[in-house]
Amino acid sequence: ASAAAAAAGGAKRAVAKITTTSDGGITGSASFTANGKDVEVALELQNAPPGLHAWHIHDGTSCGREKQADGGMGGPGTAAGPHWNPGKMNHGLPTAKAHHAGDFGNFTADSSGKASAKLTTDAFNLDGTGDLSAIGHAVIIHGGTDDGQGANGDAGARVGCGIIEKQ
């Protein structure tokens, strides 16, 4: 069933309004539509730096800067924390058997800065309660690509962020 059909049937929906964390000017949204046990995710961006970028759900509930142990402030988007990992899985690309619930892989922004990506997952829900609900977590757009390795895919700076909110 399509996202439109699911929405017509009273499906749960959420959106993260993506804004820039730096001077790049990224704007857009990540839309989430529950369809049975699956969640359809659709990303639409403008003003993204051209090229390949990673996107993930992160554990935090803020897009600001995190205070560091030395009293200084972290970089843009650091308050979003590490990757959201309710299943305690290893990091990986979404095609890997083991990966974090919010490991969405990579997308390409064209030369005008427009980008779109879609995926369907059963790794989380939009219930608003419980460990597997994505509601309230941050979607991070990274400046680099996710190589599927290590704890976070070495995806680089956080250039865009939005908090997932129920609609």
Side-chain angles (χ1 to χ4, degrees):
S2 72
K12 293 177 184 149
R13 298 178 58 85
V15 68
K17 294 178 184 174
I18 307 295
T19 58
T20 190
T21 59
S22 61
D23 296 331
I26 291 177
T27 60
S29 65
S31 301
F32 300 78
T33 303
N35 184 8
K37 290 186 177 189
D38 290 338
V39 176
E40 297 174 13
V41 185
L43 179 70
E44 296 290 335
L45 295 176
Q46 301 80 41
N47 303 318
L52 201 59
H53 300 276
W55 60 313
H56 306 103
I57 297 178
H58 282 241
D59 196 46
T61 59
S62 170
C63 290
R65 293 174 179 260
E66 182 176 62
K67 189 169 186 173
Q68 304 294 299
D70 66 4
M73 297 304 286
T78 53
H83 289 193
W84 181 50
N85 187 15
K88 309 296 185 240
M89 305 289 278
N90 289 327
H91 173 73
L93 295 174
T95 53
K97 185 174 182 178
H99 62 276
H100 301 156
D103 284 342
F104 292 161
N106 299 300
F107 66 88
T108 301
D110 68 18
S111 61
S112 71
K114 291 185 179 178
S116 63
K118 291 185 179 182
L119 62 89
T120 301
T121 181
D122 64 357
F124 60 83
N125 63 56
L126 304 177
D127 291 347
T129 60
D131 291 343
L132 294 179
S133 177
I135 302 299
H137 292 283
V139 173
I140 291 286
I141 308 302
H142 289 277
T145 60
D146 186 339
D147 64 11
Q149 305 296 310
N152 61 18
D154 196 26
R158 300 168 185 208
V159 298
C161 183
I163 304 302
I164 303 168
E165 299 177 348
K166 265 187 166 176
Q167 295 297 289

